[in-house]
Amino acid sequence: MPHPSIRHATLADEDALARLDLATWSHLHAVTPRPEHPEPFFRERCGPRDHLVAELAGRVVGYVRLGFPTELASNAHVRQIRGLAVAEEARGLGVGRALVRAAVEEARRLGARRITLRVLGHNTTARKLYESEGFVVEGVQPEEFCLDGTYVDDVLMGQSLVPLDD
């Protein structure tokens, strides 16, 4: 089984990432309406530097978006996984795990003390992955979203990046 290579995104990844985002859209993880067509992937507040890309055989098969949970200076020591997608044909090949691990390492490299994420309660596959990579549930917002007529919990997860002896 080939291992995914992980790298920082570049502007040249725009089209591939926009197509991937559209192809992987689902209410399993998305709280926004299904886009009609590919939308610009990079935006003013989340550009290439905020994304790590997974490739298999030179093809983009996934990404993770790493950002700040808020714009407050008092919260700047925390990074948040703000999006993760894996192409259908690459699922089960360790791409998601490699992206989560890379995001944690990138957050450490950037000097973060914590990393957090939000995941929908019914997304058990993602929740199990995050838990297996050291994330713990830190809170649940019951029925925070109504998706296709079903109320869904918003689960807040996180982990410390500070060594225990610090």
Side-chain angles (χ1 to χ4, degrees), residues 3 5 11 13 20 34 37 39 42 45 49 54 83 98 111 119 131 133 142 144 146 150 159:
H3 294 285
S5 63
L11 284 174
D13 295 316
L20 176 66
R34 181 179 191 83
H37 48 76
E39 297 177 357
F42 297 126
R45 292 174 56 191
R49 73 183 185 293
V119 60
E131 287 171 1
E133 289 299 319
E144 187 71 5
C146 184
T150 302
Q159 69 172 278

Side-chain angles (χ1 to χ4, degrees), residues 21-61:
D21 225 28
L22 184 61
T24 59
W25 184 95
S26 163
H27 271 313
L28 186 61
H29 59 81
V31 297
T32 57
R34 181 179 191 83
E36 299 283 325
H37 48 76
E39 297 177 357
F41 187 81
F42 297 126
R43 296 179 178 92
E44 183 180 330
R45 292 174 56 191
C46 62
R49 73 183 185 293
D50 303 310
H51 295 82
L52 298 170
V53 171
E55 290 183 322
L56 283 173
R59 192 162 111 33
V60 172
V61 294

Side-chain angles (χ1 to χ4, degrees), residues 68-91:
F68 293 99
T70 71
E71 295 180 21
L72 300 170
S74 60
N75 193 220
H77 62 286
V78 180
R79 292 297 184 281
Q80 186 173 62
I81 292 176
R82 300 185 61 83
L84 186 141
V86 176
E88 184 71 37
E89 68 274 11
R91 292 181 185 167

